[in-house]
Amino acid sequence: MTAYIIRRLLYALPILIGVNALTFVLFFVVNSPDDMARMHLGGKRVTDEAILSWKQAHGYEKPLLINTRASGSAAFTDTILFEKSLKLFLFDFGQSDSGRDISHDISQRMWPSLAIAVPTLLVGLAINITFALLLAFFRGTYLDISGVVLCVVLMSISGLFYIIAGQYVFSKLLHLVPVSGYEPGWLAWRFVLLPVAIGVVAGVGSSSRWYRTIFLEEINRDYVRT
C-alpha cells in the first residue's frame, strides 16, 4: 500500500509539471504579453509606449524563459515563467491583471462550488450504483431493457434542458426553491437543492450505463459466484 501511494505521488509530479507548462504556453506563447496588453487597452490605436507601460505595470516586460541580461540564478528567476507560473507550486496565485487577489477569490468562491459538487457526487453515486445493480441483477429481462432505454433517453437530453426545465417548474411555477443566488450558512440548502437534483438527474443515464457495464463484466467471475 505504501509503495502504491509513493508511486502515485511520483506520477503526480510530471502531470503537474506538464499542466503547468501547457498553461504557460497557452497564456504567454500562443497569446503573447503584447497581445494581452492590446486586448486590455482596447486593441485599436494602441501605441508601443502604452503597451510597454501596461507590461511593466503587470510584470510582463521580463523575458519568458531565460533572462540573458541577468547573471547567476537571476537569469532563471527574473523571468515570466518563474514569477507567473512556477509560484503556483507554492500555492502563490498572486493577483489578476485587474488587481484582484486570486487566493482570496478562491477561498470565497470554493464553498458554494463544494456545496453543490460534494452532494451531487455522493447522491449520484448512491442512485447510479443502485440502479445499475438492479439492471445487472435482472439482466435480459424487460426491466433491464426498459432501464437501458430510459438511460439512453436521459443521455440524449441536453443538460441545459434540465437546468431550464428545473428552474421553470420548481422555481417559477411552484416557488419551492430560489431560481438563482446563494446564501452562506444553514440556509444554503435552499439554493443548493435544485442544482444538486439537476446534476444527479442529468448524470443518471450515462453513469448508470457505465456501472451496469462494469457489473455485467464482473458478475460471472468466480469470486462473485463464490
Side-chain angles (χ1 to χ4, degrees), residues 39-163:
M39 181 180 64
H40 282 84
L41 295 174
K44 295 182 179 180
R45 300 183 181 90
V46 179
T47 63
D48 294 338
E49 291 78 10
I51 293 176
L52 180 60
S53 177
W54 187 90
K55 288 166 59 178
Q56 290 175 344
H58 294 83
Y60 294 135
E61 81 284 0
K62 300 176 181 179
L64 290 178
L65 301 175
I66 300 176
N67 191 345
T68 57
R69 293 171 295 182
S71 59
S73 61
F76 300 97
T77 58
D78 193 21
T79 60
I80 293 180
L81 174 64
F82 183 84
E83 300 223 346
K84 302 293 185 181
S85 185
L86 294 182
K87 286 184 177 180
L88 296 177
F89 287 102
L90 302 177
F91 298 98
D92 182 6
F93 302 107
Q95 294 184 340
S96 65
D97 292 337
S98 60
R100 297 178 63 90
D101 187 353
I102 298 177
S103 298
H104 179 266
D105 287 348
I106 293 176
S107 65
Q108 294 297 313
R109 300 179 183 182
M110 65 183 290
W111 302 113
S113 300
L114 289 175
I116 296 174
V118 173
T120 302
L121 174 64
L122 298 179
V123 176
L125 281 175
I127 293 177
N128 297 333
I129 291 178
T130 303
F131 187 49
L133 282 171
L134 183 66
L135 297 181
F137 184 78
F138 292 100
R139 60 192 182 279
T141 63
Y142 288 108
L143 178 61
D144 181 28
I145 298 174
S146 302
V148 172
V149 171
L150 177 62
C151 289
V152 174
V153 172
L154 294 175
M155 292 172 58
S156 303
I157 300 175
S158 172
L160 183 60
F161 174 81
Y162 293 109
I163 297 174

Side-chain angles (χ1 to χ4, degrees), residues 183-222:
E183 183 176 351
W186 67 274
L187 291 177
W189 69 269
R190 298 175 60 250
F191 299 89
V192 169
L193 186 60
L194 182 60
V196 170
I198 292 175
V200 171
V201 173
V204 166
S206 57
S207 298
S208 296
R209 288 198 65 193
W210 166 252
Y211 289 123
R212 174 183 175 274
T213 302
I214 296 176
F215 294 148
L216 288 178
E217 289 180 355
E218 295 293 322
I219 202 168
N220 291 321
R221 298 291 181 90
D222 292 338

Side-chain angles (χ1 to χ4, degrees), residues 5-26:
I5 295 175
I6 295 175
R7 186 167 62 251
R8 286 298 176 183
L9 291 176
L10 293 177
Y11 286 162
L13 183 60
I15 293 175
L16 290 175
I17 295 175
V19 171
N20 188 278
L22 179 61
T23 305
F24 178 80
V25 169
L26 291 176

